[in-house]
Structures are given as structure tokens and as C-alpha cells.
Amino acid sequence: MKRRIKDIYRSREGEGYIDAAVGVLCLMLVVALAMITFPVFLKKQQLDSFAGEIVRQAEITGSTNVSGRIAQLKQETGLDPQIQWDCDYYSGCKVQLNGDIEVTLTQRVDIGFFVFGSFPIDLKAKASGKSEVYYK
């Protein structure tokens, strides 16, 4: 039985294979994108935790001079953020009882998209608290 060329072109045999191949390709692209962006979310979570930890240390000591804790957290997390304090200072770096303590951390992170280049973004984390130390 001879098939005409017109019938061969109208035939849909094998179309499922192409659909499956395109679907798998799309799935792999989504997984690759997730693997690139997941570390950024992890760093953001670490930065938030970093800010909370140093504010808590500043609350307990009543001072923004918490360089020992900052150095320890830098070593543990591998982050090296820019740190900006905004406080109601009593004298020097001391903060009076119930004085506001706020810290803002900024960390630059590069998101690389394979051969398409990298895109730097700034991650910011803020934390605030109140001093727990009374100075006479």
C-alpha cells in the first residue's frame, strides 16, 4: 500500500517524543535557574541572622563595640558585610538603658547565569533593639 507524501506530512506520529524532549529541556532550565538563585536566598537568611545576633550582643553589652562577635560571625558565615549603626548614643559607643539600637548590613552578591555573565545585587538586612544597660 503506497502512502502519498501528503498523508505522511499530515501524520502526527512521533509528536509525543518531541513534546517530551521540549518538556525535559524546559524542566532542566528551571532546575538550573533554581540552583543559581538558591544560594542568594541562603546568604540573605544568613545576613538576617547575622544582624539579629550583633544587635542582641549590643543590647546585652549596652554598646555598639561588639567587634569580637562580628569577627566570629564573619568567620562562621563567610560573609563580610558593611555595617552601619544608628543608635541613641550616651557617650562614645555606649547606649543608655532603653536607647534604640539599629544596625543595617549590606552585602554584595553576584548571580551568575552561566556564559551570560554575572549580575551583582545588594542584599540588606536590618535589625533593631533596645539597650539593657544603665550607665550612671
Side-chain angles (χ1 to χ4, degrees), residues 40-117:
V40 174
F41 292 112
L42 182 62
K43 285 190 192 262
K44 172 63 174 149
Q45 190 270 337
Q46 286 178 331
L47 199 63
D48 289 338
S49 177
F50 194 116
E53 290 278 334
I54 63 173
V55 162
R56 182 63 189 140
Q57 187 71 31
E59 287 174 342
I60 293 169
T61 61
S63 171
T64 57
N65 186 13
V66 291
S67 56
R69 184 67 176 140
I70 291 171
Q72 182 184 14
L73 288 169
K74 283 182 179 181
Q75 184 181 14
E76 287 175 8
T77 62
L79 298 174
D80 189 17
Q82 295 176 350
I83 302 171
Q84 181 180 357
W85 294 96
D86 183 23
C87 303
D88 298 333
Y89 289 109
Y90 171 67
S91 71
C93 60
K94 296 177 180 178
V95 181
Q96 187 60 277
L97 181 66
N98 272 343
D100 292 326
I101 301 173
E102 185 177 292
V103 69
T104 304
L105 304 181
T106 306
Q107 175 77 37
R108 181 161 282 222
V109 177
D110 286 330
I111 299 178
F113 289 107
F114 306 112
V115 296
F116 303 116

